[in-house]
Amino acid sequence: ISDKHRLTARFNWVDAASDILSRAGNSFTFGNGGYTMENDTYSTVGQLDSVIGDNMANEFRVNYTIIRDARATPGERFPNITVGVNGYNFVAGTERYSTANSLDQDVLEITDNLSFFLGKHTLVIGTHNEIFDFSNVFIRDNFGTYRFSNLDKFATGTANRYELSFSNIANEPRWAAEFGVAQLGFYIGDTYQMKPNFNLTFGLRMDIPIIGDEPSYNQLVEDVFGIDTRDMASGNILWSPRLGFNWDMAGDGRSLLRGGVGVFSGRTPYVWISNQFGNTGIEFTRYYVTSNVPAFVPDPDNQPKGFAVQTSEINVMDKNFLFPQVARIDLAYDRELPWGLKGTIEGIFTHNLSDVLTQNINLVQTANDAWDRRAYYGARRSSSFSDVIYLKNTSEGYQYSLSFSLQRRLPNNGFIQGAYTYGGAQDVNSGSSSQARSNFQYNHIGIDANRPSLTASNQDIRHRIGIGVSYVLDLLKKHPTTLTFFYNGRSGRPYSSRYYNDENNDGSVYNDLIYVPRSEDEIILTGGTWADLNAYIEGDEGLSKYRGQIVPRNSSYEPWYHRADFRLLQDFSIPGLEGHKLQFSWDIQNFLNLLNSSWGKYQYVYYRGDVPLDYVGVDSATGKPKYAFLKTGTNRYDMDRLLSRWQMQFGVRYIF
């Protein structure tokens, strides 16, 4: 605009779709059980950078984004069906979470940073504000979901479990949770150059999430549990102080010590707030029927209703809930080494201040199992509700990492680099789902479902190795050829070993960790052999070292994953057009698998839960637990069919 003002405007449009069909070694989903994630995103950004006088500058930015996400399902609308066959599941029909699932978001971001250059101090005073409007349609099991215990039951249409959710709002069969949120952020920071070779940075940030709407009020929930469904974590301030330093130890840039300590918050997961709006017990009726299950009805629009006992899921939260925050300390040392190398060693330790914990407060503990002391839930505080999921905070959990890296620049913008990181992470719930109920029922537990133990987190990756090499060749004069090779290797992700069914009667068939028997005479096997079960236990240190105990969550680890990617870039200048060129690219992803079909395979455990045992009950004569061993062979992992294949792509780019 002028010598002191610059205006930038940008518009982005993304139209995308992704087909998803989940299959695993113990679960086969037919083609109509997949779905397509459809996305349209429109983003408009305007930024004004201004110089004000001799010692001030300002950056003002406005961003308006429109996001439209929806799920499309293939084939005809049909109820979701699961048939169990000897520990395996066959799934057909419309995916149960995609029957009515869409999310519209309108987001306005306003940011302003005012900088003052005051001698040795650079002071920044700023604000970053995000204003959201959400419209979230989510009605799981809207076409009906049936589970059959075997093929004979399926043939007669006799299910052992039936689930259905539908809207109670007149003329709104696809009722949406609509609410607005303002995330207000204010901060001040100062970079103080105490000495020519020492900088000190300190500051304070304040974030205030304000929820502008209230969920519906459910009198029965307050009468039974003393919790108001309208309670929201609105206006709860997140304070984030920070302090950092950068010390050029010799003053020549060859030896740097840097670090810091502070409190940090990530992007707020507002889908957890949406759960409270969509599950008050007012807008939806949800059935979870396990006795007197109705006969199968194939029509998705005329599913059985009107049960004498209807159950609804309720989501509530602690009104003092704070969105996740951590305290973190970091220390790093950078050093220039001989032969043009630069080395770095860095350590980071993070402790949770306010992590997420979900509890089902409708559960009533009635006993402890005699043989493993596991809590057993034989009743509910209110028969009007199935699950009452309560969202609260916990400060348990930590993460740490120690990294080493070496790098060297090569001629013509080439490089070689390598890094190794050792780390670990522990928590009580990794909060990996958008649904409150899923965060409860997929969190593997041992003794008490509402008091999960501090164990390895889903993010507990112990070892990571990265190597990159890029070299520029002059094969064609004035037309550079760039060859790049990246290798990434990591140790396996953690996973748990759980029962096939609901051992403790907490309403979830996905979360009960197994008891690892010491010997054959401690249990009664109703399926499989002790030799096979014992070999399976001994084949995994995450099981064998917990003989006579309930195995901890995430005690086992998947195999290492190795991947290498290759890229070739070839530039061509365009005669007569200075600064214009064509760039051709050739990429090979998972290059190792191209070299050898046994390399580059990605093996994993489905949903982080291995299912070796079916808990059949307790033998009345001996008091021993009865197990059926479900595994055949020694392979306990599934293989990702796409990530385990090499892929190739070609591209062309016009640069001017």
Side-chain angles (χ1 to χ4, degrees):
I1 298 175
S2 69
D3 292 341
K4 294 188 177 182
H5 301 279
R6 174 175 176 152
L7 179 65
T8 304
R10 183 177 72 249
F11 174 76
N12 289 78
W13 171 41
V14 176
D15 181 10
S18 175
D19 294 330
I20 298 175
L21 179 61
S22 298
R23 287 172 173 166
N26 65 340
S27 179
F28 181 87
T29 301
F30 288 88
N32 64 345
Y35 59 91
T36 300
M37 289 291 297
E38 299 177 341
N39 168 265
D40 278 296
T41 299
Y42 308 88
S43 180
T44 305
V45 184
Q47 181 169 320
L48 178 64
D49 297 312
S50 303
V51 176
I52 307 171
D54 296 329
N55 61 355
M56 294 174 60
N58 193 77
E59 176 190 85
F60 176 73
R61 184 170 64 254
V62 177
N63 182 2
Y64 184 65
T65 304
I66 299 172
I67 306 171
R68 298 293 181 261
D69 292 315
R71 292 195 188 190
T73 55
E76 296 183 9
R77 300 159 69 251
F78 200 78
N80 183 264
I81 297 168
T82 299
V83 182
V85 181
N86 297 326
Y88 294 86
N89 292 324
F90 292 87
V91 184
T94 303
E95 204 272 336
R96 61 182 300 193
Y97 300 115
S98 304
T99 52
N101 191 330
S102 65
L103 174 62
D104 294 347
Q105 303 178 69
D106 296 332
V107 186
L108 175 64
E109 296 184 31
I110 302 174
T111 303
D112 191 80
N113 295 312
L114 180 61
S115 300
F116 300 87
F117 306 98
L118 308 173
K120 294 184 177 182
H121 294 268
T122 299
L123 184 67
V124 177
I125 300 175
T127 179
H128 176 77
N129 309 283
E130 300 179 356
I131 301 170
F132 300 87
D133 278 317
F134 297 107
S135 178
N136 187 15
V137 177
F138 180 62
I139 312 176
R140 67 172 182 261
D141 307 314
N142 192 222
F143 297 167
T145 295
Y146 297 82
R147 182 177 180 87
F148 300 89
S149 57
N150 55 56
L151 285 170
D152 292 335
K153 296 290 187 181
F154 175 59
T156 60
T158 308
N160 62 299
R161 190 173 76 218
Y162 168 67
E163 296 177 71
L164 176 70
S165 296
F166 56 90
S167 170
N168 296 327
I169 308 303
N171 301 318
E172 293 190 52
R174 289 173 57 92
W175 181 87
E178 297 181 346
F179 62 101
V181 172
Q183 175 96 18
L184 308 181
F186 307 93
Y187 43 87
I188 182 171
D190 182 20
T191 300
Y192 174 31
Q193 189 173 357
M194 297 180 64
K195 295 182 178 181
N197 64 333
F198 188 88
N199 289 340
L200 186 66
T201 303
F202 48 91
L204 178 66
R205 181 182 178 105
M206 176 179 68
D207 290 287
I208 312 171
I210 299 175
I211 302 167
D213 299 277
E214 284 186 349
S216 301
Y217 176 63
N218 191 322
Q219 179 71 54
L220 182 58
V221 173
E222 186 163 21
D223 291 344
V224 176
F225 301 98
I227 298 174
D228 192 329
T229 55
R230 297 169 296 185
D231 284 345
M232 289 278 102
S234 181
N236 297 339
I237 299 176
L238 302 172
W239 293 99
S240 302
R242 287 98 182 256
L243 174 67
F245 73 93
N246 192 311
W247 180 23
D248 183 355
M249 301 176 71
D252 57 4
R254 294 171 54 86
S255 183
L256 299 177
L257 185 67
R258 54 186 169 83
V261 61
V263 175
F264 299 87
S265 305
R267 177 169 290 277
T268 302
Y270 285 114
V271 68
W272 292 347
I273 300 299
S274 180
N275 290 329
Q276 321 307 321
F277 282 85
N279 292 294
T280 65
I282 302 298
E283 288 78 16
F284 297 107
T285 293
R286 303 190 189 278
Y287 295 125
Y288 185 91
V289 183
T290 57
S291 60
N292 298 318
V293 178
F296 173 69
V297 175
D299 185 350
D301 297 317
N302 290 287
Q303 291 297 295
K305 298 179 181 178
F307 295 97
V309 178
Q310 63 182 37
T311 60
S312 295
E313 177 191 340
I314 304 296
N315 291 169
V316 290
M317 70 188 312
D318 182 354
K319 62 183 177 180
N320 297 314
F321 179 80
L322 292 175
F323 292 104
Q325 274 192 312
V326 299
R328 177 171 293 145
I329 185 170
D330 169 60
L331 186 63
Y333 178 59
D334 303 313
R335 173 69 180 177
E336 289 191 7
L337 302 170
W339 308 297
L341 292 171
K342 181 179 179 180
T344 296
I345 179 172
E346 182 168 13
I348 302 175
F349 180 79
T350 303
H351 192 280
N352 293 342
L353 297 178
S354 55
D355 202 2
V356 59
L357 176 63
T358 53
Q359 297 176 323
N360 188 347
I361 58 176
N362 200 34
L363 295 177
V364 176
Q365 182 181 343
T366 57
N368 286 88
D369 283 341
W371 53 279
D372 67 4
R373 306 308 303 160
R374 189 188 312 259
Y376 183 81
Y377 306 96
R380 300 295 186 264
R381 291 177 65 179
S382 172
S383 60
S384 298
F385 310 119
S386 54
D387 302 303
V388 180
I389 306 300
Y390 183 55
L391 181 66
K392 60 183 293 188
N393 287 128
T394 177
S395 60
E396 291 190 88
Y398 59 87
Q399 307 92 43
Y400 62 89
S401 66
L402 184 62
S403 301
F404 306 88
S405 68
L406 286 172
Q407 56 182 308
R408 185 182 188 277
R409 302 301 304 182
L410 299 177
N412 298 323
N413 295 319
F415 64 85
I416 181 170
Q417 61 187 33
Y420 167 74
T421 299
Y422 175 79
Q426 295 219 335
D427 59 27
V428 298
N429 189 323
S430 295
S432 56
S433 178
S434 59
Q435 296 185 68
R437 181 188 183 211
S438 294
N439 274 330
F440 174 79
Q441 71 172 353
Y442 291 119
N443 190 42
H444 301 120
I445 53 93
I447 297 295
D448 191 337
N450 279 327
R451 294 176 179 82
S453 301
L454 180 66
T455 60
S457 164
N458 287 357
Q459 286 72 46
D460 185 52
I461 307 297
R462 298 297 175 87
H463 307 276
R464 296 181 186 271
I465 300 173
I467 299 173
V469 180
S470 183
Y471 197 77
V472 181
L473 303 174
D474 194 17
L475 300 177
L476 303 175
K477 192 173 183 180
K478 296 183 179 180
H479 304 296
T481 303
T482 305
L483 300 177
T484 306
F485 180 85
F486 282 104
Y487 163 78
N488 286 286
R490 62 161 175 80
S491 57
R493 306 179 308 168
Y495 68 90
S496 304
S497 296
R498 65 171 179 86
Y499 290 119
Y500 177 68
N501 49 9
D502 185 6
E503 194 272 344
N504 63 354
N505 198 30
D506 67 352
S508 172
V509 298
Y510 307 106
N511 64 352
D512 295 332
L513 295 165
I514 69 169
Y515 172 86
V516 185
R518 293 187 184 89
S519 59
E520 182 178 8
D521 59 6
E522 195 176 20
I523 63 171
I524 296 175
L525 272 179
T526 62
T529 67
W530 170 253
D532 288 340
L533 172 57
N534 192 57
Y536 197 82
I537 294 172
E538 288 300 311
D540 180 5
E541 185 182 1
L543 291 177
S544 61
K545 68 180 180 182
Y546 293 105
R547 296 272 192 177
Q549 306 174 51
I550 298 176
V551 65
R553 176 179 67 112
N554 285 338
S555 63
S556 301
Y557 289 84
E558 297 166 349
W560 272 74
Y561 178 53
H562 304 274
R563 174 174 173 143
D565 297 328
F566 169 83
R567 160 167 278 203
L568 182 148
L569 293 177
Q570 179 62 61
D571 293 352
F572 292 99
S573 301
I574 300 178
L577 293 176
E578 186 69 26
H580 293 240
K581 65 179 179 180
L582 285 176
Q583 185 181 78
F584 294 90
S585 63
W586 176 34
D587 293 285
I588 302 176
Q589 301 173 13
N590 200 0
F591 183 66
L592 295 176
N593 187 251
L594 176 63
L595 300 179
N596 187 316
S597 61
S598 298
W599 297 349
K601 291 187 176 181
Y602 178 42
Q603 295 178 291
Y604 69 99
V605 172
Y606 190 62
Y607 276 114
R608 305 286 187 95
D610 186 32
V611 190
L613 294 173
D614 186 4
Y615 175 73
V616 186
V618 176
D619 181 67
S620 58
T622 63
K624 295 180 180 180
K626 295 189 292 184
Y627 287 162
F629 182 53
L630 304 176
K631 294 287 186 174
T632 57
T634 58
N635 187 14
R636 65 188 79 220
Y637 308 112
D638 293 302
M639 185 173 67
D640 189 295
R641 301 295 175 179
L642 182 61
L643 293 179
S644 299
R645 287 189 171 101
W646 65 268
Q647 302 173 63
M648 186 183 298
Q649 66 180 10
F650 298 91
V652 61
R653 177 179 296 172
Y654 177 43
I655 301 173
F656 60 94

